[in-house]
Amino acid sequence: MLKTPLAWKNLMHDRRRLATAVAGIGFAVLLMFVQVGFQNALYDSQVRLVDALRGDLFITSRDRFAIAAETRFPIQRLYQAQSAPGVAGVYPLYTELTTSVFKNFGSHASSKGHQIRSMAIRLGDPVFHLPAVDESIPLLRGPLTAIVDRQSKPAKFALPIDDPDALSNANIEVSDRRLNLVGTFDLGADFVNEGNLIMGTATFGKLFPHRVPMGDPLSIVDLGVVELVDGANPEQARDTLAELLGEQVGVFTREGFRGKEMKFWRSTTPIGAVFSAGKVIGFVVGVVICYQVIFSGISDHMPEFATLKAMGYGRWYFISLIVVEAVWLAVFGFLPGAMVSTGLYQWLAAQTGLLMQMTPSTLGFVFAITVVMCVASGLLAVRKLLTADPASLF
């Protein structure tokens, strides 16, 4: 077989059937890429805010089961944390989604309200890693000003993101208050938040005074960002803060905070199971298509295979022949599927703002699954040949 590439010749002698097989396997590859892409986008997008934050530790309400949950804690816990040994700084982050309703009254936009995540920091606090936020601090000191996420879904917010003058003149409201957009930053949407705003606490307090009825809306905090002194051990500092702050809040390292968020979406919600089911469906579709292709190839060449059997070629020869043929089919089907998927990822990322990335690990994972899919189909199809009596095949 090594001297005569029989598997290659079996595939190439009927180009029309090969093209049909490649199209079918490529479709199965595309299905798996879409499911893997959306699943990765789900997890990566949900922790993108964590990745954009500075800080070594994070403080949240004990009842906050995910970042999207709007459960808060008194700012006094942050004042307590500031006094802990090894802590260099503690900074509050305020967020609002439920009552943060964005309306665009521009001539080319609908005035329909859409929820947008509003985030606020004390101007000058080192909360975000985002350079655009630091550069916008002087502008955010103006009354009722904010900067908007460039990756907010354009279908919902319809803002002239690439034109600073037009953006600053955009006629918009958030929570029925006129808001001036003075710049942009890049963060991205996720499965809960379709857009983002960042503003100073003065603006935030005016937009959302109802956070604390008859009280200071900034007296409750959504997230505390803790910066440690150089050389401090994050795990020891976490344990110290947890003991100091009591049961009302939870304290997490960066890795722990990311892991908690991803575990929630993977294990608690049905979304992770849905995408896993989608990958299984794509795999099964590919197995069926590949099985039909290889099985029909074996049936068409049964007399030739019978001759080889009569000449003394053993079962492992035929198994290796079909496995090599299956691997070739996997390569041929994977290449167009990957190319189409790359373009589809880019289009979906532009349309949804989700973090759809064709990474080497994604390519490697889907290619490995494709090879397994095709080889499994080949092993199923070759059983007919292995059990056949050569004398009955002529």
Side-chain angles (χ1 to χ4, degrees):
M1 186 181 67
L2 295 177
K3 294 181 179 179
T4 303
L6 191 55
W8 176 267
K9 290 182 178 297
N10 277 346
L11 289 174
M12 289 298 167
H13 92 283
D14 189 340
R15 300 295 177 93
R16 179 176 298 178
R17 187 168 62 188
L18 175 62
T20 304
V22 169
I25 296 170
F27 176 70
V29 170
L30 177 64
L31 282 179
M32 290 189 288
F33 264 122
V34 169
Q35 300 302 322
V36 172
F38 271 118
Q39 190 172 44
N40 290 342
L42 168 66
Y43 299 145
D44 294 339
S45 299
Q46 295 306 132
V47 297
R48 193 153 41 174
L49 174 60
V50 180
D51 296 337
L53 295 173
R54 300 182 185 183
D56 305 294
L57 301 175
F58 301 95
I59 302 173
T60 70
S61 166
R62 180 72 70 179
D63 298 328
R64 197 177 190 105
F65 51 86
I67 292 176
E70 294 183 306
T71 54
R72 293 143 183 149
F73 61 95
I75 196 170
Q76 284 77 14
R77 300 289 85 80
L78 299 190
Y79 299 151
Q80 284 181 268
Q82 183 69 64
S83 64
V87 173
V90 183
Y91 315 108
L93 175 67
Y94 301 89
T95 67
E96 186 69 36
L97 177 64
T98 304
T99 63
S100 178
V101 180
F102 180 102
K103 294 180 181 177
N104 188 346
F105 296 98
S107 57
H108 299 292
S110 167
S111 60
K112 181 181 177 182
H114 299 284
Q115 285 185 327
I116 188 169
R117 179 167 60 184
S118 292
M119 297 180 284
I121 60 173
R122 295 184 309 209
L123 299 180
D125 279 356
V127 173
F128 285 102
H129 274 301
L130 308 173
V133 175
D134 296 335
E135 295 167 2
S136 301
I137 293 299
L139 298 173
L140 290 174
R141 296 190 188 282
L144 291 174
T145 53
I147 55 178
V148 63
D149 186 358
R150 295 176 59 86
Q151 299 178 49
S152 299
K153 290 184 179 179
K156 294 291 180 65
F157 304 108
L159 290 168
I161 292 294
D162 296 321
D163 187 342
D165 293 333
L167 184 65
S168 64
N169 292 321
N171 185 11
I172 68 163
E173 289 184 356
V174 172
S175 296
D176 298 323
R177 295 291 300 270
R178 173 69 188 271
L179 190 67
N180 299 308
L181 298 177
V182 295
T184 60
F185 64 100
D186 285 287
L187 181 61
D190 56 40
F191 279 76
V192 178
N193 305 286
E194 298 178 317
N196 297 288
L197 294 170
I198 293 178
M199 59 194 71
T201 50
T203 297
F204 189 82
K206 293 177 181 175
L207 293 180
F208 311 109
H210 48 268
R211 280 168 60 94
V212 179
M214 308 298 291
D216 181 2
L218 303 180
S219 63
I220 54 173
V221 178
D222 292 83
L223 184 67
V225 179
V226 181
E227 180 184 4
L228 300 179
V229 298
D230 291 340
N233 184 298
E235 284 75 20
Q236 289 181 354
R238 175 199 59 195
D239 296 341
T240 301
L241 281 177
E243 184 176 356
L244 174 67
L245 301 180
E247 297 293 329
Q248 190 176 25
V249 298
V251 185
F252 303 92
T253 62
R254 176 174 293 276
E255 291 73 22
F257 198 30
R258 291 182 95 257
K260 176 174 177 284
E261 183 71 14
M262 294 179 75
K263 181 181 179 182
F264 169 78
W265 289 98
R266 183 171 51 243
S267 306
T268 308
T269 70
I271 299 177
V274 169
F275 288 131
S276 296
K279 284 186 288 186
V280 172
I281 292 172
F283 181 85
V284 172
V285 169
V287 167
V288 172
I289 293 173
C290 196
Y291 174 83
Q292 291 294 335
V293 171
I294 296 177
F295 185 83
S296 61
I298 291 174
S299 299
D300 291 347
H301 297 94
M302 192 61 81
E304 289 83 357
F305 287 135
T307 302
L308 292 174
K309 267 194 156 186
M311 290 170 64
Y313 284 88
R315 60 189 290 117
W316 289 110
Y317 172 83
F318 294 105
I319 291 174
S320 59
L321 171 71
I322 297 302
V323 167
V324 171
E325 191 171 326
V327 172
W328 277 120
L329 282 172
V331 173
F332 290 157
F334 176 79
L335 291 176
M339 287 189 287
V340 174
S341 299
T342 300
L344 185 62
Y345 274 26
Q346 294 173 349
W347 182 80
L348 287 171
Q351 296 299 314
T352 65
L354 296 174
L355 203 60
M356 301 285 291
Q357 293 181 318
M358 185 63 78
T359 63
S361 61
T362 300
L363 286 167
F365 174 76
V366 176
F367 179 68
I369 294 296
T370 305
V371 171
V372 171
M373 174 183 78
C374 292
V375 170
S377 304
L379 294 177
L380 288 173
V382 80
R383 292 180 303 167
K384 177 182 179 181
L385 174 58
L386 296 179
T387 58
D389 181 359
S392 65
L393 300 176
F394 294 98

